[in-house]
């Protein structure tokens, strides 16, 4: 079972894939344009992306490049043309596998399973990478530039939550609800944990690298500029 993001503008293909993959216990989200797909990446960090190359807003290579810029999630491209040179270009540009349209849902499901087996964690929860930061959610291990970070449980949860949403400002209220599992609490608790986490990442509020505070809004984690 995996979280699958299907970026496909054809409603017939979408509904067929949703019903088939859901029947195989995958959690499927869909987007009809590349830009919606990129937005979904942060709200629903998938373990596999199935990317149609014929989308209305961006061409396949642009869409792939933009996804690769924000996510290391494995991508299966779905192409209508059986053009080997183009497929090779896309594999070189960061795609992990491809299916040629029209494909059967069974074929796609088999590709997804095989891809998950090959990728980190053996098909479980993905390893999140943002710049030199690596967060292995399944193992609850994190490292920065290859050096293991020693984090408390809460610091790890905070880091994993922010790292799964790179570049997205997360409000203190969301952190309270999602990391602390509380509907009401003290902003200071969060600020203190953010500052401890910063220290572990070797940075300060005055000279941030990964974690930035957006005054009056919240915090965000992104790769250093
Ligand atoms: Ca299409």
């Amino acid at each position: 079972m995996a979280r699958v993001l299907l970026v496909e503008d054809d409603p017939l293909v979408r509904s067929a894939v949703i019903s088939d993959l859901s029947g195989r216990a995958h959690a499927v989200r869909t987007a009809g344009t590349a830009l919606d797909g990129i937005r979904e990446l942060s709200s629903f960090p998938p373990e596999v992306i199935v990317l149609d190359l014929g989308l209305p807003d961006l061409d396949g290579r642009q869409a792939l490049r933009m996804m690769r810029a924000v996510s290391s999630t494995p991508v299966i491209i779905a192409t209508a043309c059986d053009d080997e040179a183009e497929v090779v270009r896309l594999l070189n540009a960061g795609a992990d596998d491809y299916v040629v349209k029209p494909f059967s849902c069974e074929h796609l499901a088999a590709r997804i399973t095989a891809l998950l087996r090959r990728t980190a964690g053996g098909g479980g929860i993905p390893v999140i990478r943002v710049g030199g930061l690596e967060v292995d959610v399944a193992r609850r291990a994190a490292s920065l530039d290859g050096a293991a970070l020693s984090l408390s449980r809460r610091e790890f949860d905070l880091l994993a939550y922010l790292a799964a949403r790179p570049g997205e400002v997360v409000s203190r209220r969301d952190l309270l609800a999602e990391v602390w599992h509380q509907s009401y609490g003290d902003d200071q608790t969060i600020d203190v944990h953010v500052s401890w986490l910063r220290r572990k990442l070797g940075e300060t509020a005055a000279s941030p690298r990964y974690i930035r505070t957006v005054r009056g809004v919240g915090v965000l984690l992104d790769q250093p500029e």
Side-chain angles (χ1 to χ4, degrees), residues 8-9 52 54-55 101:
E8 164 66 64
D9 61 320
D52 171 34
L55 292 169
K101 286 179 149 189

Side-chain angles (χ1 to χ4, degrees), residues 2-7 41 45-51 64 67-68 71-77 91 94-98 111-129:
R3 290 188 306 277
V4 180
L5 174 62
L6 170 67
V7 187
L41 284 180
E47 287 144 89
V48 184
I49 299 165
V50 180
L51 176 65
L64 181 63
M67 289 196 166
R68 273 285 159 266
S71 167
S72 58
T73 304
V75 176
I76 299 176
I77 49 177
L91 291 172
D96 297 273
D97 200 355
Y98 71 99
R111 291 295 180 114
I112 289 173
T113 306
L115 185 55
L116 287 172
R117 217 184 295 130
R118 292 203 299 272
T119 51
I125 309 159
V127 176
I128 304 166
R129 289 186 187 84

Side-chain angles (χ1 to χ4, degrees), residues 6-207:
L6 170 67
V7 187
E8 164 66 64
D9 61 320
D10 183 336
L12 291 177
V13 176
R14 267 208 312 260
S15 59
V17 171
I18 290 173
S19 94
D20 182 85
L21 293 183
S22 307
R24 297 171 199 269
H26 293 305
V28 188
R29 287 273 192 105
T30 62
T33 64
L35 292 178
D36 280 346
I38 288 159
R39 268 191 287 274
E40 280 290 327
L41 284 180
S42 52
S43 61
F44 168 79
E47 287 144 89
V48 184
I49 299 165
V50 180
L51 176 65
D52 171 34
L53 291 185
L55 292 169
D57 57 340
L58 294 177
D59 83 35
R61 241 181 300 170
Q62 281 177 307
L64 181 63
R65 198 179 321 121
M66 286 184 71
M67 289 196 166
R68 273 285 159 266
V70 296
S71 167
S72 58
T73 304
V75 176
I76 299 176
I77 49 177
T79 172
C81 76
D82 197 0
D83 175 352
E84 193 179 289
E86 180 63 5
V87 168
V88 167
R89 265 194 296 277
L90 288 158
L91 291 172
N92 285 333
D96 297 273
D97 200 355
Y98 71 99
V99 287
V100 176
K101 286 179 149 189
F103 53 83
S104 72
C105 288
E106 202 172 359
H107 182 108
L108 179 63
R111 291 295 180 114
I112 289 173
T113 306
L115 185 55
L116 287 172
R117 217 184 295 130
R118 292 203 299 272
T119 51
I125 309 159
V127 176
I128 304 166
R129 289 186 187 84
V130 182
L133 197 60
E134 208 172 282
V135 184
D136 185 335
V137 179
R139 289 214 205 108
R140 295 191 64 83
S143 63
L144 178 61
D145 300 328
L149 295 168
S150 162
L151 304 175
S152 71
R153 185 173 64 88
R154 198 71 91 186
E155 288 162 357
F156 181 85
D157 290 345
L158 179 61
L159 178 66
Y161 189 81
L162 293 172
R165 295 156 184 79
E168 189 185 314
V169 184
V170 179
S171 70
R172 289 186 177 81
R173 184 187 297 188
D174 285 347
L175 289 176
L176 201 61
E178 301 296 332
V179 178
W180 272 261
H181 307 294
Q182 291 171 14
S183 54
Y184 176 82
D186 189 354
D187 279 359
Q188 241 189 330
T189 309
I190 291 164
D191 292 343
V192 166
H193 279 85
V194 167
S195 91
W196 285 342
L197 179 57
R198 265 199 179 114
R199 206 179 310 161
K200 300 260 174 99
L201 298 180
E203 59 187 69
T204 61
S207 55

